[in-house]
Amino acid sequence: MTTPPDPTSPSVRALRAMAFGALAVLVLCALLTAAAVLQDAIGGDGVSGGLATAGGWSLAASGLCALVAAAAPRDAMAYRTRAITVTAAYALAVLGPVLAALD
């Protein structure tokens, strides 16, 4: 199903625009993650832990989700799957700096 199930739901074109917005948010979150890791390297013990690595992987997964949601053809991905993928892209992007800050 490629059409929104609810008349108030965003269209597939709007979901693609949101996916590109997730890529823009990803850039900001990558900068915040880098700042958190560098602050830990300078002010902390100088060794990045597992949470900093998990934050980096979270950013990578966010980029992959956003690209898949934006680039997949209309008929290749169901509407609900595309909406969940866009939501996951935003959630993973925000999770990256949070994990790096907890390290």
Side-chain angles (χ1 to χ4, degrees):
M1 175 156 92
T2 59
T3 59
D6 185 18
T8 60
S9 297
S11 65
V12 173
R13 180 176 286 169
L15 285 175
R16 284 187 177 163
M18 288 181 211
F20 285 119
L23 288 172
V25 169
L26 177 64
V27 170
L28 175 66
C29 289
L31 291 173
L32 291 173
T33 303
V37 170
L38 287 174
Q39 190 277 334
D40 185 44
I42 293 170
D45 58 359
V47 179
S48 65
L51 289 177
T53 304
W57 280 106
S58 175
L59 293 175
S62 171
L64 181 66
C65 285
L67 287 176
V68 165
R74 182 182 300 264
D75 295 331
M77 182 180 278
Y79 178 83
R80 181 150 172 82
T81 305
R82 190 180 307 267
I84 290 171
T85 306
V86 169
T87 305
Y90 279 102
L92 288 168
V94 171
L95 186 62
V98 171
L99 288 174
L102 289 175
D103 186 34

